Amino acid sequence: MHVKKLLLLLSVINMSITYGSELKSDEHVLFIPNIAYQTPDNKLAISIQAWVYEKERRPGMTTLLTKYLGIDKDTLTPEEYELLYQRSQLFRVDSERGKVLSIKLNNTTYTLPKTDKGGVTNQVIYLNTIPSQQNNHSISYSISDLNLPESTNTGLSFFSPDIGLSVISDIDDTIKDSKVLDQKQLLINTFIKPFKAINSMRDWYQQMAKKGISFHYLSSSPIQLYPALKDFMDKAQFPTGSVHLREATTWHSIIPTGDDSRNHKLSTLEKLLNAYPKRQFILIGDSGEADPEIYAQMMKKYPTQVKCIAIRNVTNEDEQSPRYKQLFAGVDSYKWQIFTDPTTIINTCAPRE
C-alpha cells in the first residue's frame, strides 16, 4: 500500500515537472518591457519576458543582505532604511519554477513555456498583423487569470519598424549617476540613496525621441531592480523603450562577475541587431567598465548597422588613450566619440534637423 502511494506521489511530481503548474493566488508576475518587430515573412514578432515569484517572510534577511553588501544598517537614517527595504524586497522572494502562464493578447489566449529554475519564462509570439509604422508603438498583454494581483497583470512590448534608427543605452553611469568604479559606493547608491539622473543625458535622449528614434535600455542590473529603475526613468522623463536586465533572481547574485555582465550585454546586443537587421543603432555607454570593448566588438561584427558609438567619460581617458587607440584602430573617427557633455556629439551620433 505504501509503495502504491509512493508511486502515485512520484507520478504527480513528475507530471508537475513535465507539464508545469498553474499560478497560485499568492504568486506574482513581473513583466519586463521587451521588443516587437517585423519578420522577413511580414509577421509581427512579440518578445515576452516574465518572472514569477512568491513573497516570503524572511526575518533577518535585511541584516544578512546588508552584511553581504558591506553596509552597516545601524548607521542608516530612517529614510535610507526605508529605501533599502523597498529596493531589496524582490531579493527576499522565492522564484517559482515550473509555472505556466496564460496571457491575453488581441483577445486571444497564449500559453508561455513553463518557468525555469529562476522563475523566468521567455517567448516570442507571432501574429499576422503589423501595427502602424510608428517607433516605440506599445503592444500590451495581460495575465488571463484575473485573480492575481492587479499590479502584475500587464506587460508591454515596443514595436519599431524594420527601417529606422535606434539607441541602445546603458543605465549605470550613462543615464544614472551610480559610481560603478567604486563598488561600495555603487551599492550604497543602488540600495539606500535616491537615484540621481544625469540631466544632460535625459535632455539629449528627449531630443532624439522627438526625431522618432527608438530606445532600448541595456544593463547588468538584476531584474529585481526593474520596479525601482522604471520609477526612476519615469520620474526623470527618459523616453520609454524596452528594458534588458540580467536574469539573476537570487540575492547573492546582485553583483555580476565580469563575464556575467559581458555575456549578458553581448547576447542582448546580438538579439536586438538580429531582430532589426535593416535598422541602424547608436550604442551609448560609459567608460567605467567594458562598454567600449563590447560596443567596439559589435561595430566590427555589424559595421553597417552600428552607426555610432558614444562613450561617456568617467575614467578620465580621452580619444588618444591607448585603450581607445587599440579598440578603434581602423574605425572612422566620426563613428565613435568619447564625451563628457553630450551636446558635443549630437550632430555626430544623431541626424541633423
Side-chain angles (χ1 to χ4, degrees):
M1 190 65 160
H2 292 296
V3 174
K4 288 184 177 180
K5 287 183 178 180
L6 178 59
L7 290 173
L8 179 61
L9 178 60
L10 290 174
S11 175
V12 171
I13 293 173
N14 183 61
M15 287 180 64
S16 176
I17 293 173
T18 302
Y19 298 106
S21 58
E22 295 181 352
L23 292 172
K24 298 178 182 177
S25 60
D26 60 349
E27 292 171 340
H28 298 253
V29 179
L30 177 66
F31 287 108
I32 310 297
N34 217 304
I35 62 172
Y37 53 95
Q38 186 173 341
T39 66
D41 57 353
N42 292 320
K43 290 187 177 181
L44 171 63
I46 303 170
S47 294
I48 296 173
Q49 181 187 43
W51 174 38
V52 180
Y53 63 90
E54 181 182 355
K55 293 182 178 180
E56 295 285 350
R57 289 182 55 85
R58 297 186 185 276
M61 187 61 181
T62 300
T63 299
L64 182 62
L65 183 60
T66 53
K67 286 183 178 179
Y68 173 76
L69 298 174
I71 297 171
D72 183 356
K73 72 180 182 69
D74 294 331
T75 65
L76 301 181
T77 66
E79 293 78 14
E80 290 173 336
Y81 189 85
E82 178 62 23
L83 269 181
L84 171 65
Y85 184 80
Q86 289 177 6
R87 292 182 186 169
S88 64
Q89 275 192 7
L90 294 184
F91 294 95
R92 297 193 295 269
V93 303
D94 281 341
S95 297
E96 296 299 313
R97 181 178 190 170
K99 293 295 176 177
V100 176
L101 303 182
S102 293
I103 64 167
K104 285 186 177 179
L105 173 61
N106 286 357
N107 297 317
T108 301
T109 298
Y110 298 89
T111 299
L112 306 184
K114 63 183 180 181
T115 56
D116 61 19
K117 64 180 180 180
V120 175
T121 180
N122 291 281
Q123 175 74 315
V124 179
I125 294 174
Y126 296 92
L127 303 180
N128 291 322
T129 304
I130 302 295
S132 67
Q133 297 294 296
Q134 176 185 0
N135 282 308
N136 270 15
H137 172 83
S138 62
I139 299 168
S140 64
Y141 36 86
S142 60
I143 295 293
S144 59
D145 185 353
L146 298 180
N147 293 320
L148 290 176
E150 185 175 352
S151 61
T152 63
N153 276 351
T154 302
L156 291 174
S157 293
F158 291 92
F159 174 80
S160 294
D162 57 346
I163 296 175
L165 184 61
S166 298
V167 163
I168 301 176
S169 172
D170 179 47
I171 294 178
D172 289 309
D173 280 343
T174 299
I175 66 170
K176 179 168 73 70
D177 189 2
S178 303
K179 302 293 187 291
V180 170
L181 290 175
D182 183 337
Q183 189 174 94
K184 184 174 179 63
Q185 190 61 49
L186 169 65
L187 294 171
I188 289 172
N189 290 339
T190 299
F191 286 97
I192 64 177
K193 295 293 184 183
F195 289 161
K196 182 180 177 182
I198 300 171
N199 292 330
S200 60
M201 297 298 291
R202 184 264 322 281
D203 296 343
W204 182 30
Y205 283 20
Q206 287 180 347
Q207 290 179 39
M208 287 194 285
K210 289 177 181 177
K211 297 174 183 177
I213 295 175
S214 296
F215 282 81
H216 312 282
Y217 297 94
L218 171 58
S219 172
S220 293
S221 293
I223 61 176
Q224 293 97 323
L225 289 175
Y226 170 67
L229 290 172
K230 180 184 184 304
D231 182 66
F232 156 73
M233 289 191 288
D234 287 348
K235 288 180 178 177
Q237 298 183 328
F238 281 97
T240 58
S242 63
V243 180
H244 307 271
L245 304 179
R246 190 166 46 92
E247 292 184 11
T249 54
T250 56
W251 67 268
H252 56 270
S253 59
I254 297 172
I255 305 171
T257 66
D259 285 344
D260 285 344
S261 177
R262 185 182 184 90
N263 291 339
H264 165 65
K265 289 195 171 185
L266 282 172
S267 64
T268 303
L269 286 164
E270 293 267 6
K271 170 187 171 183
L272 290 170
L273 270 67
N274 287 327
Y276 303 101
K278 297 180 182 178
R279 289 183 74 85
Q280 287 192 304
F281 291 83
I282 302 171
L283 309 185
I284 304 176
D286 64 88
S287 62
E289 294 186 297
D291 285 349
E293 287 74 15
I294 292 169
Y295 290 172
Q297 180 177 337
M298 298 306 293
M299 174 174 273
K300 291 171 183 177
K301 186 172 181 179
Y302 299 92
T304 61
Q305 281 187 267
V306 179
K307 173 184 173 68
C308 178
I309 293 173
I311 299 295
R312 184 170 178 266
N313 188 359
V314 297
T315 54
N316 199 28
E317 298 171 283
D318 63 19
E319 289 91 342
Q320 300 305 314
S321 72
R323 178 186 189 185
Y324 296 128
K325 281 189 173 182
Q326 179 180 358
L327 276 179
F328 296 108
V331 177
D332 291 330
S333 59
Y334 68 86
K335 296 199 71 173
W336 64 278
Q337 193 161 347
I338 314 302
F339 71 94
T340 302
D341 178 4
T343 61
T344 64
I345 59 172
I346 287 177
N347 289 332
T348 302
C349 280
R352 296 177 184 269
E353 295 288 355

